[in-house]
Amino acid sequence: MVRLVDIASAVGVHPSTVSRVLNGEVGHSLRPETVERILAEARARGYRPNALARALRHHRTGALTFVVPMLRNPIWVRLQRGALLRAAERGYVVMIMEEPMEDPKPPGAYSYLVTESRADGLLLATSLRGGRDAGGANPDEALSAVPHVFVNRRGPDAGNDVVMDEAAAVRLFLDHVAGLGHRSVLLIDGRPEVDTVYRRAAATRRHCAALGLTAVISHADATEAGGFAAIRRLLATGPLPTAIGVGSIEQVFGVLAALRDARVAVPGAVSLVSLDDDESLAYLDVPVTSVRMPLAELGAAAVDALIARIDGTGGSDVLIGEPMSLISRGSVGPPPAEPGT
Amino acid sequence: MVRLVDIASAVGVHPSTVSRVLNGEVGHSLRPETVERILAEARARGYRPNALARALRHHRTGALTFVVPMLRNPIWVRLQRGALLRAAERGYVVMIMEEPMEDPKPPGAYSYLVTESRADGLLLATSLRGGRDAGGANPDEALSAVPHVFVNRRGPDAGNDVVMDEAAAVRLFLDHVAGLGHRSVLLIDGRPEVDTVYRRAAATRRHCAALGLTAVISHADATEAGGFAAIRRLLATGPLPTAIGVGSIEQVFGVLAALRDARVAVPGAVSLVSLDDDESLAYLDVPVTSVRMPLAELGAAAVDALIARIDGTGGSDVLIGEPMSLISRGSVGPPPAEPGT
DNA sequence: CTGTTAGCGCTTTCAT
DNA sequence: ATGAAAGCGCTAACAG
C-alpha cells in the first residue's frame, strides 16, 4: 500500500505538501517544479488516497445506504439503477440493504448506519408506509437525527419524500378507457398499507367519481398468484367491470391467466392496463398496454434530494411526473355491448 | 455524536477501559462494577462505535463490493439477494456497482475500491469473461493484488471462480427431452463471449454427441427481441429442431411470441425448456417447463469464498450444483411424427 | 484490574 | 512556498 508519507519521503518534502498538491489547493501557491515531482511520483507508484482516513477527518464517508424491500418486482431494479448512476456521478458509492419481508423494521432501525459513520445518509424504501398516515409507528426519533429521504413512499415526517405521480398514471389509464366508452373500472393492486397502492387506489376513486365511472378496488398479494386469485374471487361474485388496471407486473401475469382460464376475452370482454411497464408485456399472447413510470428518474431524484439533506441545503417533498406515458399495445378496446362475463 | 471518550469521562475511567469493556475483552479481567457502569452509560447515551476509526485501525472496512452488469435479467436479483443475506450474516455490508453495458471495464478497473480502503474485497460479475479463455485481456495485475472472486463466470486467474453447474442444467434438459424421444435439439442463448453461455453451449454439444442427438446452437441478444429474431431466422432456413432450450427468461418471451406468430404449436410441434426459472413462466398461455438454478446459493457461496480470500484462508474454485431441478410445466411433450414445421 | 502511549493515514491551521 | 504539529475516534502493546 502506498501512503502519502511514502511519496513525501521519496520526493523529499513534507506530507502536508503532498496533500496540498494532490488536492489541487488553489490559494496556496506551489512551486511548479515541486508539484511536478510530486505528481510524477504519485502516478509512478499508483498512489490512491485512503478513503477511510479521509472520511475520518472530514466527517464524510462518501457513501449512501439504500434500503429496499426484498421483492421480485422489477421496479426495484430500475429504481436502483437510476440511483446508482446518479450517485456515481455525484461521487458517492451506495450500499444496498434488503429488508426482510417477514419482519419489516421501522425506518429508524437503519439510522445506526449513519451514526456509525458507515454512510452519510439513507434512501428508505422500507416496506410499510410508516407513521404519518398509517397510524402505526410513533414519530421516529432515531431517524430525525439522520439525513434521509423516503423513496417511492411517504415517510412519517413530511418534507423528506420523493415519489412518483401515481395519480397521473391512474388518470392516464382512466382517461384512456373512459375515452373508449368504458363506464366501470376495476383496480387490482397490492396491499393497501403500501403507500403507492394507497395513492393509486385513492386516485382511482377520486378520478372515477369525477368521470362518473363506477370503481371497484381489489387488494391482493403483489404476485402472480395474487392477481390470479383476485380475478377468481371477483368472477365468483358477478360480472367484471369492463376496464381493469393492475398495479404490478407479477399480478398482470396472474390476471391474464385467470381471464384465460375463465374464457374472458381480452380486449373483447374486458380491457387491461398494467400500471407498471415491462418489455416482456409486448410479447405475450395478448400484448399488454401499460403506463411507463419514471423509475430511473425517481432513483436519481432521490439521490439528489438526499445529498441536499446531507449538505444541509434545504429540500422539500419531490414529485416525479416525467417522463410518463401510456404505451398502447392491444389489451385495450371498446367495451362490449353487454358487460363482460 | 457520542464518542468513546465521552462515556469514559462520564464514568470516570480511561477510554481504553471503555474500549475493552465494549469489545468484551476476554483475557482482561475487569471489575464487574466498572463493567456495569460503563455498559449502563453506553446504553443510556446510545453509544455506537465509529466504524471508520475502527476500520482505520484494523485495516478492515467490513464492506464488500459487488460489481454486476446492468441487465434486466432477474437472475441478478436472486444472486444479489443471496449475497446480501450471507454478507449480513457474516457481518459485512455490501456496496453495489453496476457496470455500464456500453463500455464494459476490465475487472481490474475496480481494484481501486480495495486500494482506497472502501471495501475489503470484490465480487466480480463483470460482463465479459475476462482473459483466460477469452484470449482478450492480458493477465490483470491490479486485480491480483486484491481479494476477489468471480461470480457466475470464470475470471482470467484460476482458483477464484464461483460458478453454477451449467452442464448439469443442460443435462437435465437434454435427458428430459431425449427420454421423450426427441432427436434434434436447439439451444438459443446469449452472446458466446458470456461465460455461462459458453459453458452451456459446450455442454450441449458434448452431451448431445453422447446421446446421439443433433445439436444446433443459436446466439442472440439476451432480450425478448433477441429470442424472437433467433426463431425467425431459423424458421427461414428450414424446419426447427423439435426440442428447444433457451438461456434467459427474456429470450423465452421472444421465442414464444415468434412460435405463436408462425403457428408452431408448443408442445405439439416443438418442446421448450427455459434454462432459467421464473414464477411468471407458470402463468403463460403455455406454462413453460424450466430448470431452476441455485442462484441464491451461488451468491452466498461467493461471499463465503471472498471472505476466505480476505482472511487469507485459502480457497479454490467453487462449483454450485445444488439445489437444481427441472420444473415440469407443460411446454414439453413427445416429438411430433414429422419434424416440426 | 486499569492507565499510558502511540499510532492507523490524512488534513489543516499556524508558523516560518 | 513549505514545514510543524495536532487530531479525527478508536485500539493494542506495554506498564504499573
Side-chain angles (χ1 to χ4, degrees), chain A residues 156-180:
Chain A
D157 53 344
N160 290 315
D161 306 332
V162 185
V163 300
M164 295 184 296
D165 194 347
E166 304 288 343
V170 165
R171 272 184 263 120
L172 235 35
F173 155 50
L174 292 177
D175 291 345
H176 186 56
V177 297
L180 288 167

Side-chain angles (χ1 to χ4, degrees), chain A residues 185-203:
Chain A
V185 167
L186 166 62
L187 176 70
I188 294 179
D189 213 318
R191 297 169 52 193
E193 305 86 36
V194 176
D195 186 52
T196 46
V197 172
Y198 175 90
R199 284 182 285 134
R200 282 192 293 259

Side-chain angles (χ1 to χ4, degrees), chain A residues 70-74 76 223-224 250, chain B residues 77 81 278-280:
Chain A
M70 289 214 326
L71 297 176
R72 280 173 50 223
N73 198 316
W76 295 111
T223 60
E224 290 84 356
E250 286 81 2
Chain B
V77 177
R81 179 151 306 159
D278 190 85
E279 193 65 11
S280 61

